[in-house]
Amino acid sequence: MWTLRVSLKEGGVLEPVGRWVSSFREPRHFSCLRLLHKSTVEVQERPAPEETVTSSFGGFIHLVHPGQLSDTVLHRSKRMILDSIGVGLLGSSSQVFELALQHCQQMYAPDYTSSVFGRRNTRLSPSLAAFVNGVAVHSMDFDDTWHPATHPSGAVLPALLAVAQMLPGNAKPSGMDLLLAFNVGIEIQGRLMRFSNEAQNIPNRFHPPTVVGPLGSAAACSSLLSLDRSQCSNALAIAASLAGAPMANAATQSKPLHIGNAARLGLEAALLASRGLEASPLILDSTPGCAGFNAFYNDYLPRALPSPVEQDPCFLLEDQDIAFKRFPAHLGMHWVADAACSVRELLVNTVGGFHPSMIQSILLRIPLSKYINRPFPECEHQARHSFQYNACTALLDGEVSVQSFSSAFLDRPELLSLLSRVQVEHPQDNPANFNKMYAEVLVTLTSGDVLKGRCDTFYGHWRKPLSHDSLLKKFRANAGAVLPGERVEAIIDTVENIEDMQDCSHLTMHLE
């Protein structure tokens, strides 16, 4: 960093030429100054100020390039994109998506720019398309999950697809541009959550996608829009002012709005930054006496991101895979469902059949997490967040599926009877942490026999990821509920070869 010291003799005038004065970095840049009359210019060097965490994040977003994405990161992120499209298409058939779409169509002037999942000839403004498509992705709680706990893809992909359609024809981003921006958005979310031990556990204050999601969306959109370093930092800071939603709205129709808002507000933050709107240059730093991002996490301890120019980044997705859900419910439900299914299998194999009348009592040993401990859920969204409901459904049916949360399944007398026999325990060695928790289901039969099932890692967890065939099976089932088969296969082919696309906005033509 260089300091320009100018001393003018009487009558001297210093006139800057152009707008480069604020960006001097070395003496040769002073050629853009024109000295009028007599004056002296003295250039002194001073140490560069310590880089802030916020500016390091802006630099990362601005400087990272597609060649720094490894084959592993590309493979995993394409799986995330495909899965998110599938659950988004399925979600476009949900009631909460329909309500959100009607709201946007009726309350805002039409802007036929960006397409909507599963709705041919329906277009909205980019920010509203990001919103409703984000709602679709999370409408059934079927989207991917990471550790620390958040839903990373739904906050990013809908915003990127909307931006890609918004940009003019001569500035359309390529498939590799989309992959880079997507991974930037995922990386920023993961980095921020790793600055807090509190964020490692299942949340009880703020819903994580509303905290890190808007910043992930802002980072991704900043990358796709090729914003400069300062604009990238400002986009993150603006998004931080739009972040945060309480956990009390979990298990309600409002929860999917969290993902929709994350996608939308992050996009808008990037667009505002592109226009020159400024925000705190220390938003991600830990500044005593002045809350920034640390307002969301009491133990927030940030670290600067290394510059991708000085060293190739190691993306978090390189070392930790993503969790893809096999059925549409809170991630914790997958442990208890697997454990309950193993008990049912034992019962069928030992007794030769299953009937609810065989069961005297059911004990669940699960983590202590109040909002997913729901003994008698009254609607589909509560059922998706109920240990008891998912355990009893798995015992009764041998599986949990999309149909398990329909009203016809919710009101079954035999299911309600099983729910009345459930008790819960919260062992001290079973933390509310998706990387450490387990579930045990103990069923006491009327005969007095006790059958036990335990799940430490369910199939689909990042430690036990879905196979390629399983992921494709899930995608085809989800997308096929909305689109014809040839369109479903076209999406699979497009995503699998997305790095070869010259214009990534062509992906959206298959999603309507």
Side-chain angles (χ1 to χ4, degrees):
M1 177 68 73
W2 297 80
T3 297
L4 174 65
R5 177 183 295 174
V6 179
S7 60
L8 299 178
K9 294 183 179 179
E10 185 176 356
V13 178
L14 179 67
E15 181 182 62
V17 179
R19 294 186 299 169
W20 305 281
V21 177
S22 62
S23 60
F24 291 147
R25 290 296 181 269
E26 50 186 292
R28 71 171 187 271
H29 291 150
F30 297 123
S31 61
C32 64
L33 290 175
R34 181 164 64 250
L35 293 175
L36 306 180
H37 305 297
K38 293 182 178 180
S39 60
T40 61
V41 177
E42 180 183 356
V43 179
Q44 289 187 340
E45 185 176 2
R46 70 179 178 188
E50 182 179 352
E51 184 174 51
T52 66
V53 172
T54 306
S55 66
S56 76
F57 272 65
F60 176 86
I61 297 166
H62 174 62
L63 295 169
V64 69
H65 59 82
Q68 293 175 310
L69 298 175
S70 70
D71 290 342
T72 297
V73 170
L74 288 173
H75 171 70
R76 289 176 174 175
S77 57
K78 286 195 288 185
R79 282 162 55 91
M80 294 165 72
I81 290 171
L82 186 68
D83 183 69
S84 298
I85 289 172
V87 298
L89 286 167
L90 180 66
S92 71
S93 64
S94 68
Q95 183 184 18
V96 65
F97 170 83
E98 182 65 33
L99 293 174
L101 177 59
Q102 289 177 9
H103 169 73
C104 290
Q105 289 176 318
Q106 294 171 10
M107 296 300 293
Y108 297 89
D111 180 343
Y112 305 108
T113 301
S114 301
S115 55
V116 173
F117 285 172
R119 301 299 171 98
R120 186 178 290 276
N121 299 324
T122 300
R123 297 208 169 197
L124 297 169
S125 69
S127 64
L128 294 182
F131 171 69
V132 297
N133 289 336
V135 170
V137 170
H138 196 56
S139 63
M140 299 183 182
D141 218 321
F142 211 178
D143 46 328
D144 57 28
T145 308
W146 216 13
H147 177 74
T150 194
H151 302 281
S153 296
V156 172
L157 183 61
L160 292 177
L161 294 177
V163 169
Q165 289 184 282
M166 177 190 75
L167 292 173
N170 61 353
K172 291 294 187 185
S174 68
M176 278 303 298
D177 293 331
L178 179 72
L179 282 170
L180 176 65
F182 180 82
N183 278 286
V184 165
I186 302 303
E187 184 74 8
I188 294 304
Q189 293 179 76
R191 292 286 179 178
L192 290 173
M193 297 203 75
R194 281 164 175 76
F195 294 156
S196 164
N197 288 325
E198 179 185 333
Q200 306 288 317
N201 299 322
I202 297 175
N204 54 29
R205 291 198 304 150
F206 296 103
H207 191 207
T210 74
V211 176
V212 298
L215 281 81
S217 172
C221 293
S222 296
S223 174
L224 204 65
L225 292 167
S226 299
L227 301 191
D228 66 31
R229 179 174 184 152
S230 177
Q231 290 170 326
C232 292
S233 297
N234 280 321
L236 294 175
I238 295 167
S241 280
L242 308 174
M247 285 303 302
N249 267 330
T252 73
Q253 284 189 318
S254 289
K255 190 187 179 197
L257 304 185
H258 295 177
I259 296 289
N261 276 328
R264 171 190 183 177
L265 297 174
L267 186 160
E268 293 183 354
L271 293 177
L272 287 167
S274 75
R275 293 181 179 274
L277 187 70
E278 297 179 347
S280 170
L282 297 174
I283 197 70
L284 301 183
D285 294 75
S286 184
T287 306
C290 183
F293 191 78
N294 58 343
F296 297 110
Y297 298 110
N298 292 324
D299 61 349
Y300 178 73
L301 188 62
R303 295 177 297 280
L305 279 181
S307 169
V309 173
E310 297 175 359
Q311 65 181 70
D312 283 338
C314 181
F315 284 85
L316 297 173
L317 195 57
E318 180 82 33
D319 296 324
Q320 180 181 293
D321 209 337
I322 205 81
F324 295 111
K325 299 178 179 179
R326 303 195 318 277
F327 56 88
H330 182 278
L331 193 72
M333 305 304 109
H334 290 66
W335 275 273
V336 77
D338 275 16
C341 282
S342 65
V343 171
R344 179 189 167 95
E345 186 176 356
L346 281 173
L347 188 59
V348 170
N349 290 338
T350 56
V351 181
F354 172 83
H355 193 275
S357 61
M358 299 176 177
I359 296 178
Q360 177 176 306
S361 63
I362 303 167
L363 175 64
L364 307 182
R365 289 178 175 160
I366 51 178
L368 176 62
S369 185
K370 187 173 183 179
Y371 82 99
I372 46 179
N373 183 0
R374 297 177 180 271
F376 296 97
E378 298 176 355
C379 65
E380 62 168 299
H381 294 283
Q382 291 183 12
R384 298 183 201 280
H385 295 76
S386 167
F387 277 125
Q388 294 89 336
Y389 181 87
N390 286 272
C392 290
T393 297
L395 283 171
L396 191 60
D397 302 326
E399 65 174 359
V400 181
S401 67
V402 173
Q403 290 71 32
S404 299
F405 303 96
S406 65
S407 57
F409 277 64
L410 277 164
D411 298 330
R412 291 180 292 172
E414 59 270 33
L415 178 64
L416 297 174
S417 176
L418 283 180
L419 286 171
S420 68
R421 301 174 221 175
V422 176
Q423 295 179 318
V424 299
E425 288 182 356
H426 306 298
Q428 291 187 351
D429 68 342
N430 196 2
N433 181 303
F434 290 146
N435 212 36
K436 300 177 180 178
M437 66 174 282
Y438 64 86
E440 288 184 344
V441 177
L442 286 80
V443 173
T444 301
L445 304 180
T446 53
S447 64
D449 294 330
V450 177
L451 303 179
K452 175 182 173 181
R454 176 177 171 122
C455 177
D456 294 288
T457 303
F458 65 87
Y459 180 46
H461 190 276
W462 46 85
R463 290 194 300 265
K464 196 175 181 180
L466 292 184
S467 68
H468 182 64
D469 287 343
S470 293
L471 188 71
L472 288 180
K473 181 180 179 180
K474 175 187 174 182
F475 176 79
R476 288 186 172 111
N478 288 339
V482 178
L483 300 179
E486 63 271 15
R487 301 265 299 282
V488 172
E489 297 306 313
I491 295 171
I492 293 173
D493 182 67
T494 300
V495 173
E496 289 185 344
N497 298 283
I498 195 169
E499 64 267 38
D500 299 325
M501 293 182 68
Q502 296 300 309
D503 178 358
C504 69
S505 67
H506 289 166
L507 171 62
T508 59
M509 72 175 64
H510 301 301
L511 309 184
E512 299 180 7

